[in-house]
Amino acid sequence: MGPVVTSYNVISEDGYITDRNRDESFIPDATWGEFIKLIKDNDVVVLGRKSYDEMYKGYSPQLIKEFEETKTKKVIVSRDLSFEPKSGHVKAASPEEAISHGSKILISGGPSLNSAFLAAGLIDHFIRLIIPVNIGDGLKPFPQEPKLVVESSQRLKDGTTLETYSLS
Ligand SMILES: NC(=O)c1ccc[n+]([C@@H]2O[C@H](COP(=O)([O-])OP(=O)(O)OC[C@H]3O[C@@H](n4cnc5c(N)ncnc54)[C@H](OP(=O)(O)O)[C@@H]3O)[C@@H](O)[C@H]2O)c1
């Protein structure tokens, strides 16, 4: 059996992962803990090169520290042969190469990386943490929303909702 791949995104109630300026400030820092928990449940976490850049440019040192301190292998996907991620991260040139690094893989991509994984038929499960705000416009997790069936839905104490889905 191949690796099990889970796609994770934090989205607004109306389905966006960033606003129209690629700003994620509608996402409370407190939701980072859910991401860290999921990272620890997997042996590999995969980011697209652009999300990786955004994280190191814009996130607080505390959030980055929590991310870096997880023992989970961190794989950054890029087609750029000259790209060298920071120490503690490895690069992969394709989704297939990224998942060759382990057996339980969490991907947290933007629409570009997510759609590459989806098109390659590599995503087994989807998890979304839904923030109860509407932001009107922005980036969606997938350029074309896949047909998803809700498997579970859990309202968390902070008012967010954690949902899991499979492809219909
Ligand atoms: N709210 C959330 O849950 C969440 C999660 C993740 C990201 N985001 C946001 O989403 C935005 C980024 O999304 P994005 O779609 O622009 O970028 P992305 O998916 O993070 O990364 C795209 C990059 O990944 C690499 N890539 C993608 N497909 C590939 C393939 N098939 N083979 C090899 N490399 C591939 C390319 O890197 P190179 O250009 O280096 O070749 C591409 O430019 C950011 O604003 C980020 O903050 C939000």
Side-chain angles (χ1 to χ4, degrees):
M1 212 177 73
V4 176
V5 180
T6 301
S7 157
Y8 175 69
N9 280 113
V10 183
I11 67 169
S12 64
E13 187 94 54
D14 52 352
Y16 296 100
I17 59 169
T18 73
D19 73 11
R20 70 175 68 181
N21 302 313
R22 291 186 162 239
D23 186 304
E24 287 183 307
S25 52
F26 72 96
I27 301 175
D29 279 0
T31 63
W32 195 244
E34 204 55 53
F35 183 39
I36 298 293
K37 211 156 70 182
L38 285 168
I39 291 175
K40 289 178 176 169
D41 278 350
N42 286 272
D43 51 27
V44 175
V45 57
V46 181
L47 303 183
R49 198 267 310 155
K50 289 188 179 168
S51 299
Y52 163 85
D53 281 350
E54 295 280 333
M55 183 176 82
Y56 277 99
K57 246 188 351 209
Y59 289 20
S60 75
Q62 177 57 33
L63 300 190
I64 290 180
K65 183 166 174 274
E66 288 171 29
F67 175 79
E68 287 182 337
E69 281 179 356
T70 61
K71 294 193 174 68
T72 305
K73 191 166 194 175
K74 298 159 186 71
V75 177
I76 316 303
V77 186
S78 172
R79 294 187 182 87
D80 179 355
L81 298 178
S82 65
F83 168 68
E84 279 305 332
K86 290 173 191 292
S87 98
H89 304 69
V90 295
K91 68 174 171 182
S94 65
E96 290 77 5
E97 187 186 338
I99 66 167
S100 72
H101 285 280
S103 57
K104 275 187 88 184
I105 320 280
L106 183 72
I107 74 162
S108 178
S112 164
L113 189 72
N114 285 346
S115 59
F117 269 82
L118 188 68
L122 294 176
I123 306 180
D124 301 296
H125 304 286
F126 299 77
I127 301 181
R128 289 176 176 175
L129 182 66
I130 304 165
I131 312 294
V133 290
N134 290 316
I135 58 173
D137 192 10
L139 281 183
K140 297 222 167 184
F142 292 88
Q144 239 187 330
E145 175 75 355
K147 285 208 169 71
L148 300 179
V149 180
V150 179
E151 287 182 328
S152 70
S153 181
Q154 184 190 4
R155 185 74 183 254
L156 305 184
K157 279 197 210 100
D158 62 3
T160 61
T161 304
L162 192 64
E163 293 202 334
T164 65
Y165 316 81
S166 57
L167 282 171
S168 75

